[in-house]
């Protein structure tokens, strides 16, 4: 008996795996669309569509084309509008399968490499700079602001200040006297960092409840601290605990993403005006009333003349 040729199971498995990987790799490879001849030759059709959209004399020379997919080609034309220098008219044409008629899919104006574009939009919260906040302004603070943390998470025995370990005058020849501290406290409290400052009058809350408020050391910590909010007008300055500004950490919540204001033109409201028919009906009534008044006035004048004649007689 002749033995039939047998292949190794390991070799067969490896060969099948290699062929499967090759098929999968070829399936993942993107296929470059082929330029359809009929769509590529439809330059006049694309130009006519661009002229219908842009107007006469606004479409320049043909700049080129690009295949978008099967039987889909986009033609590019120069835009001659002075307000859109560097822009291009993009007209996409297509045709159905096994059809010879090419139709226009869309026509849009796209910026070219030399087009003048507006700068990238930046949210107002990122446009804000230190010093922009004024009296009456409110600065929202994000819930996940990296500069703030819950109070119970910032407890550290090594960095916590303890009055028992505070040694006045250590390493200094002289320190601030009680009188000097009182004068400084009075000056700070009555100055721009006190509660009677214009910006504090319109503040939503006091600095003592703000997350950016850093209390001073020693006896002054009971009344004063330093502002650590870079967007606040008092950043890096001594402020009283009852001072305030619109950059309070808990002032307001973040607004919506949209910054669109209310419409300037009210297209939903209406005014009640009299109809022309009512105006015409009212005009004869007014004329009749005027004639009645004239008649009454003439009768009164005649009666007055009669009384005067009788009196003379």
């Amino acid at each position: 008996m002749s033995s039939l040729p047998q292949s190794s199971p390991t070799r067969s498995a490896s060969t099948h795996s290699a062929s499967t990987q090759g098929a999968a790799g070829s399936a993942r490879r993107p296929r470059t669309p082929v330029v359809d001849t009929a769509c590529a030759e439809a330059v006049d059709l694309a130009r006519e569509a661009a002229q219908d959209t842009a107007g006469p004399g606004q479409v320049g020379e043909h700049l080129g084309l690009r295949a978008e997919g099967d039987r889909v080609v986009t033609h590019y034309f120069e835009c001659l509008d002075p307000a859109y220098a560097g822009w291009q008219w993009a007209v996409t044409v297509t045709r159905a399968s096994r059809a010879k008629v090419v139709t226009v899919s869309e026509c849009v104006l796209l910026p070219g490499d030399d087009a003048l574009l507006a700068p990238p939009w930046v949210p107002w919260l990122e446009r804000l700079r230190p010093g922009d906040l004024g009296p009456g302004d409110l600065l929202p603070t994000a819930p996940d602001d990296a500069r703030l943390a819950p109070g119970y998470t910032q407890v550290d025995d090594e960095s916590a200040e303890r009055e028992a370990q505070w040694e006045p005058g250590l390493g200094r020849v002289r320190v601030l006297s009680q009188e000097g501290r009182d004068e400084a406290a009075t000056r700070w409290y009555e100055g721009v960092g006190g509660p009677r400052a214009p910006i504090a009058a319109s503040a939503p809350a006091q600095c003592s409840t703000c997350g950016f408020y850093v209390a001073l050391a020693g006896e002054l910590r009971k009344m004063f601290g330093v502002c650590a909010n870079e967007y606040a007008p008092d950043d890096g300055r001594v402020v009283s605990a009852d001072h305030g500004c619109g950059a309070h950490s808990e002032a307001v919540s973040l607004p919506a993403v949209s910054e669109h204001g209310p419409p300037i033109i009210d297209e939903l409201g209406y005014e009640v005006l009299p109809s022309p028919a009512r105006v015409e009906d009212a005009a004869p009534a007014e004329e009749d009333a005027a004639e009645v008044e004239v008649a009454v006035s003439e009768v009164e004048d005649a009666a007055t003349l009669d009384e005067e004649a009788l009196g003379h007689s």
Side-chain angles (χ1 to χ4, degrees), residues 27-289:
R28 296 192 191 98
R29 186 179 304 170
R31 184 174 61 88
T32 304
V34 180
V35 178
D36 184 76
T37 304
C39 294
E41 295 177 352
V43 178
D44 296 336
L45 176 64
R47 180 185 297 275
E48 183 179 355
Q51 292 177 350
D52 292 342
T53 305
Q58 300 296 331
V59 181
E61 62 180 0
H62 185 254
L63 302 178
L65 56 88
R66 185 180 64 180
E68 305 289 351
D70 294 340
R71 300 179 301 279
V72 180
V73 175
T74 299
H75 294 269
Y76 296 92
F77 299 90
E78 180 184 5
C79 179
L80 302 181
D81 192 337
Y84 291 90
W87 289 63
Q88 303 173 1
W89 285 104
V91 182
T92 302
V93 296
T94 183
R95 67 180 181 89
S97 178
R98 298 181 181 179
K100 298 181 180 180
V101 179
V102 179
T103 59
V104 177
S105 176
E106 63 177 356
C107 177
V108 294
L109 184 62
L110 299 178
D113 297 336
D114 301 331
L116 180 61
L117 301 176
W121 183 80
V122 180
W124 72 269
L125 194 58
E126 299 180 9
R127 296 196 302 265
L128 194 65
R129 292 294 178 266
D132 293 345
L133 194 69
D137 297 335
L138 296 179
L139 177 61
T141 304
D144 56 348
D145 196 326
R147 301 171 298 169
L148 300 172
Y152 57 84
T153 64
Q154 294 298 309
V155 178
D156 189 357
D157 294 338
E158 297 180 358
S159 61
E161 182 181 357
R162 298 180 181 179
E163 296 185 4
Q165 299 178 354
W166 182 68
E167 298 179 2
L170 182 63
R172 294 181 291 168
V173 178
R174 292 184 296 178
V175 296
L176 194 64
S177 64
Q178 184 65 39
E179 182 179 356
R181 286 196 297 269
D182 293 343
E183 291 180 357
T186 303
R187 184 173 62 254
W188 293 344
Y189 197 79
E190 296 178 354
V192 295
R196 287 184 288 272
I199 196 171
S202 58
Q206 297 181 355
C207 293
S208 58
T209 60
C210 180
F212 297 104
Y213 179 78
V214 182
L216 296 182
E219 296 180 355
L220 295 176
R221 69 174 298 136
K222 299 178 181 179
M223 292 183 60
F224 299 100
V226 178
C227 179
N229 190 348
E230 61 175 334
Y231 297 104
D234 297 317
D235 179 37
R237 300 177 183 177
V238 177
V239 293
S240 64
D242 50 358
H243 182 69
C245 70
H248 194 281
S249 60
E250 314 303 328
V252 290
S253 59
L254 280 175
V257 178
S258 176
E259 296 184 358
H260 300 292
I264 298 177
I265 300 177
D266 185 8
E267 298 181 350
L268 301 178
Y270 60 90
E271 297 180 0
V272 179
L273 299 176
S275 61
R278 294 185 177 180
V279 173
E280 294 177 358
D281 295 341
E286 294 178 356
E287 294 178 358
D288 296 342

